[in-house]
Amino acid sequence: KQEVTQIPAALSVPEGENLVLNCSFTDSAIYNLQWFRQDPGKGLTSLLLIQSSQREQTSGRLNASLDKSSGRSTLYIAASQPGDSATYLCAVNGGNSGGSNYKLTFGKGTLLTVNP
Amino acid sequence: NAGVMQNPRHLVRRRGQEARLRCSPMKGHSHVYWYRQLPEEGLKFMVYLQKENIIDESGMPKERFSAEFPKEGPSILRIQQVVRGDSAAYFCASSLARGPGKTQYFGPGTRLLVL
């Protein structure tokens, strides 16, 4: 059974700081990994999707890396801004019994606060 | 192109009542997924449907919960005789097709509160 862990559970940083969020998963037989952003009371916004054959993806100030063999991913946020404050969720597709390629397994998230 | 729509956004029910949650997928999407987010927990897969078919309901409680995705109209997640433990955020996602490269787009969720 796939399990996803995110560390830290919460993070508070001053504006302008670079930061790293961590995600680990127990079964490396994944199809892809996705990072989402969730604002309070809102839905999920997909930030980056990394296929199992890829090592990293970049979008603006965000960079996500994937080390499939060790079961780890990191989300790097450069020059953080107060508007980046949200919960960041990591989700993997795959590694479940039955080999489904559509079930996303989520971590509990990292609550990020960027202070002005 | 409107995104995934869910309604109601908030729903309050008393114990024993029924809750009906609706999800309209993105235009052209025929694959719908429901996830539940309990307080302090991550999102958990519940059910995967295609038009008129339930493909995988392995994450859905065996009793009181049912889901459908008719040929016409939205997907419905139905919870009968709700209990306090059903209080959660229920998210719907849709995709253009099935497969690992097919992104699931999420709706804003329905927050169910059972009194």
Side-chain angles (χ1 to χ4, degrees):
Chain A
K1 177 186 171 187
Q2 181 72 273
E3 293 182 3
V4 178
T5 303
Q6 290 188 246
I7 295 174
L11 181 64
S12 182
V13 301
E15 182 177 2
E17 193 162 296
N18 303 325
L19 58 100
V20 174
L21 307 181
N22 297 290
C23 171
S24 62
F25 46 95
T26 54
D27 192 328
S28 62
I30 65 169
Y31 297 101
N32 58 51
L33 182 145
Q34 203 163 357
W35 283 93
F36 292 87
R37 169 183 173 141
Q38 184 177 24
D39 292 282
K42 300 287 179 62
L44 279 65
T45 302
S46 179
L47 299 172
L48 291 163
L49 184 150
I50 312 176
Q51 299 292 351
S52 62
S53 58
Q54 297 175 320
R55 298 282 297 182
E56 65 178 336
Q57 281 284 343
T58 298
S59 175
R61 294 183 293 108
L62 305 179
N63 176 277
S65 68
L66 173 64
D67 185 342
K68 185 180 163 185
S69 60
S70 68
R72 293 179 183 176
S73 175
T74 60
L75 178 67
Y76 175 82
I77 302 177
S80 58
Q81 303 170 357
D84 294 331
S85 298
T87 296
Y88 289 80
L89 300 174
C90 170
V92 299
N93 184 346
N96 294 293
S97 59
S100 69
N101 60 7
Y102 48 82
K103 283 184 192 176
L104 298 183
T105 303
F106 284 82
K108 292 184 180 181
T110 293
L111 175 61
L112 173 65
T113 303
V114 181
N115 302 299
Chain B
N1 185 11
V4 178
M5 299 176 69
Q6 291 188 248
N7 66 80
R9 296 290 301 276
H10 300 273
L11 182 61
V12 179
R13 286 286 179 266
R14 296 192 180 280
R15 281 179 295 169
Q17 291 184 318
E18 178 180 288
R20 290 171 69 88
L21 288 60
R22 297 176 192 78
C23 168
S24 296
M26 287 181 69
K27 187 176 181 180
H29 287 193
S30 60
H31 300 254
V32 166
Y33 316 80
W34 286 91
Y35 293 82
R36 177 167 68 172
Q37 185 177 36
L38 292 166
E40 309 301 323
E41 295 290 327
L43 279 80
K44 296 278 197 293
F45 169 84
M46 297 182 74
V47 61
Y48 162 38
L49 309 103
Q50 281 183 265
K51 283 286 188 181
E52 300 185 272
N53 291 302
I54 297 175
I55 307 301
D56 182 347
E57 56 183 350
S58 60
M60 202 151 67
K62 295 288 187 287
E63 298 179 352
R64 302 187 297 107
F65 285 71
S66 62
E68 63 177 15
F69 189 15
K71 187 176 180 181
E72 301 291 338
S75 174
I76 306 286
L77 180 67
R78 183 183 178 205
I79 311 172
Q80 295 179 288
Q81 299 171 7
V82 296
V83 301
R84 288 210 172 116
D86 296 332
S87 296
Y90 292 82
F91 290 94
C92 166
S94 73
S95 66
L96 186 61
R98 170 179 169 170
K102 303 302 181 285
T103 301
Q104 295 180 21
Y105 296 87
F106 282 77
T110 293
R111 280 146 184 88
L112 171 66
L113 175 62
V114 180
L115 301 176

